[in-house]
Amino acid sequence: MIEELRETVCRLHTELVRYDLVAWTAGNISGRVPGADLFVIKPSGVSYDDLTPESIVVCDLDGDLVEGSLAPSSDTAAHAYVYRHMPEVNGVAHTHSTYASAWAARGEPIPCVLTAMADEFGGEIPVGPFALIGGDDIGRGIVETLAGHRSRAVLMRNHGVFTIGESPKAAVKTAVMCEDVARTVHVARQLGAPAPIAPGDVDSLYDRYQNVYGQRSHR
Ligand SMILES: [Zn+2]
């Protein structure tokens, strides 16, 4: 099962490149190992072209390396904190994607002014606190910001995007959608004030998308 997850998480990193969400090695994805207090994550400083399933490392929920010959991502403590405190989360993605990070640089939430945002995020995409890398501060900021929020994406102030999901793939999809709406709302801003969507309509859109849209068996 760990081998399969390593393969999945390795392959998902190619999506970060495909959707232009990362420069150099500045982005990472992890996935919780089902039924174990473990997760797999990108090794630190390895280019996306050189990633192989074998190079994906296994860590415990304290963020300590359990299996693998490379050092885990420098963001491992943040991923570990999320897995410890959000049992429903099975995947975490992190990027410095340009438009979303520009909102983070201003410390400004992305307002819900597109139906696609209401569908996917159920409201604005919130901003989390400024936090230094290494300890629990980033993880705590993610968990505290997303607790009780529909959005599965958070803009960490002056930093970038963290997304969570029921699977690593879901977390990556949210990272892609976050950058997409960050770009569109940014462009809209250039020509004037984007029109808000009434809260009742946001609720209806979110509910329909989460419960009715798509092929139920192919999520
Ligand atoms: Zn970062």
Side-chain angles (χ1 to χ4, degrees):
M1 190 172 281
I2 289 189
E3 293 322 303
E4 203 179 308
L5 186 60
R6 275 174 149 162
E7 243 180 77
T8 301
V9 166
C10 178
R11 184 166 34 78
L12 283 169
H13 281 86
T14 65
E15 303 286 355
L16 301 184
V17 178
R18 182 153 77 107
Y19 287 98
D20 204 16
L21 303 185
V22 289
W24 201 240
T25 63
N28 43 70
I29 302 165
S30 67
R32 188 196 293 271
V33 178
D37 286 338
L38 298 170
F39 64 99
V40 306
I41 189 165
K42 180 185 180 292
S44 182
V46 175
S47 103
Y48 298 105
D49 285 343
D50 296 336
L51 273 190
T52 60
E54 300 71 44
S55 68
I56 302 291
V57 299
V58 184
C59 291
D60 63 23
L61 297 191
D62 291 323
D64 293 325
L65 183 69
V66 168
E67 196 184 320
S69 51
L70 298 166
S73 162
S74 50
D75 291 303
T76 296
H79 291 247
Y81 189 97
V82 171
Y83 290 124
R84 285 203 304 279
H85 291 86
M86 302 183 100
E88 73 281 13
V89 169
N90 296 311
V92 178
H94 172 50
T95 81
H96 300 161
S97 63
T98 305
Y99 285 89
S101 298
W103 288 87
R106 293 196 306 276
E108 184 179 1
I110 307 174
C112 187
V113 291
L114 297 164
T115 57
M117 275 193 79
D119 288 346
E120 186 70 33
F121 300 96
E124 68 173 22
I125 299 177
V127 174
F130 177 82
L132 293 177
I133 196 166
D136 281 344
D137 290 356
I138 292 179
R140 190 180 301 116
I142 297 166
V143 170
E144 285 178 359
T145 307
L146 293 182
H149 207 294
R150 284 172 177 165
S151 173
R152 304 292 78 190
V154 52
L155 309 173
M156 290 301 285
R157 190 179 288 266
N158 299 105
H159 182 176
V161 183
F162 281 85
T163 62
I164 57 176
E166 60 186 351
S167 66
K169 184 180 177 184
V172 172
K173 181 198 173 194
T174 299
V176 172
M177 301 306 281
C178 177
E179 178 63 4
D180 186 52
V181 300
R183 183 173 57 228
T184 306
V185 179
H186 172 89
V187 171
R189 272 281 186 86
Q190 308 310 298
L191 296 171
I197 300 174
D201 290 332
V202 172
D203 291 347
S204 304
L205 286 161
Y206 180 72
D207 184 61
R208 179 179 174 282
Y209 186 77
Q210 299 298 322
N211 297 305
V212 182
Y213 175 81
Q215 313 295 323
R216 292 300 303 165
S217 56
H218 291 93
R219 279 290 174 87

